[in-house]
Amino acid sequence: MALSKPIMKLLSSYLQNLYLNPIRTKSISSCVVGVTGSVASQLLAGGRIRLDPILAFGLYGLLFGGSIPHYFYETLENLFPEDVVAFPVVKQLFIERLIFAPFMQAFSLYTLARFEGKNHAAALKQLQVLYVPILQANWKWLTIFQVINLAFVPSMLRVLFMNLVGLGWCIFLATKRRQQSQKKE
């Protein structure tokens, strides 16, 4: 019972910040999720903790992980309003899965590699190796979460919901990228 009061206070503060400063709040949340996922992935793999992937995932979350999805979901809501368009969730899901997800996977893989200090050629090479298997895994494992997100989660909380799902995805992504780097070495 004593723990519930600080949790409720934190949740209340988060929701207030989400309302007053949605992009900043979503970006900071995405940064925290990225850093946590990178650290968790490295801890699960054993060995030493490397700072460059942690910084890359944190910076990516801060700069792009909150803002791009925020504007994307806002655009989806405007393109397919629930009260005007028939089957808005189905249409939103198709746009998200067939246009947004492929773009974001490519952008994420390339940007993370660059944030880790890889040059353009190395980032492109890593993108070529990882893009298709990671996109297929995204479609396979994250589609159900996107259905839940678009059908049941209030629009204000969609980025937060996908950030929480994204914690697991971030661990998966960091693991795949690390495995690919170890194969290369």
Side-chain angles (χ1 to χ4, degrees):
M1 194 69 150
L3 188 58
S4 65
K5 193 171 185 177
I7 290 173
M8 291 307 291
K9 215 174 195 178
L10 181 65
L11 182 60
S12 174
S13 175
Y14 179 82
L15 291 174
Q16 181 180 12
N17 279 301
L18 191 59
Y19 179 75
L20 295 174
N21 305 296
I23 295 169
R24 180 175 59 191
T25 304
K26 291 172 185 179
S27 295
I28 292 169
S29 300
S30 186
C31 175
V32 169
V33 166
V35 166
T36 304
S38 182
V39 169
S41 170
Q42 292 184 55
L43 289 174
L44 290 170
R48 65 180 182 87
I49 300 290
R50 291 182 37 233
L51 190 57
D52 54 331
I54 295 170
L55 292 174
F57 275 91
L59 188 58
Y60 177 85
L62 190 63
L63 296 178
F64 307 115
S67 58
I68 293 174
H70 169 84
Y71 289 115
F72 171 74
Y73 288 123
E74 193 175 81
T75 301
L76 275 185
E77 290 289 320
N78 292 332
L79 286 175
F80 306 107
E82 206 169 293
D83 54 344
V84 177
V85 178
F87 307 108
V89 171
V90 173
K91 292 172 182 172
Q92 290 172 351
L93 183 67
F94 274 111
I95 299 256
E96 193 283 331
R97 297 282 73 202
L98 298 176
I99 297 171
F100 186 69
F103 165 76
M104 281 304 288
Q105 285 309 301
F107 180 72
S108 299
L109 288 169
Y110 179 81
T111 306
L112 287 167
R114 292 304 306 248
F115 283 168
E116 282 184 344
K118 292 182 172 83
N119 64 29
H120 174 70
L124 280 179
K125 186 173 182 177
Q126 184 178 32
L127 176 62
Q128 290 170 341
V129 171
L130 292 175
Y131 180 70
V132 171
I134 286 180
L135 182 60
Q136 289 172 337
N138 180 306
W139 284 338
K140 181 179 180 181
W141 299 107
L142 297 185
T143 298
I144 188 66
F145 292 108
Q146 276 298 352
V147 169
I148 293 166
N149 193 29
L150 293 169
F152 303 111
V153 176
S155 60
M156 187 169 110
L157 299 175
R158 286 188 179 154
V159 174
L160 173 63
F161 176 78
M162 287 314 292
N163 272 342
L164 295 176
V165 171
L167 178 59
W169 183 251
C170 186
I171 292 169
F172 170 78
L173 187 62
T175 301
K176 286 292 187 188
R177 291 180 70 246
R178 186 181 54 258
Q179 289 170 346
Q180 191 270 336
S181 291
Q182 288 171 344
K183 282 182 189 175
K184 195 172 73 175
E185 294 170 1

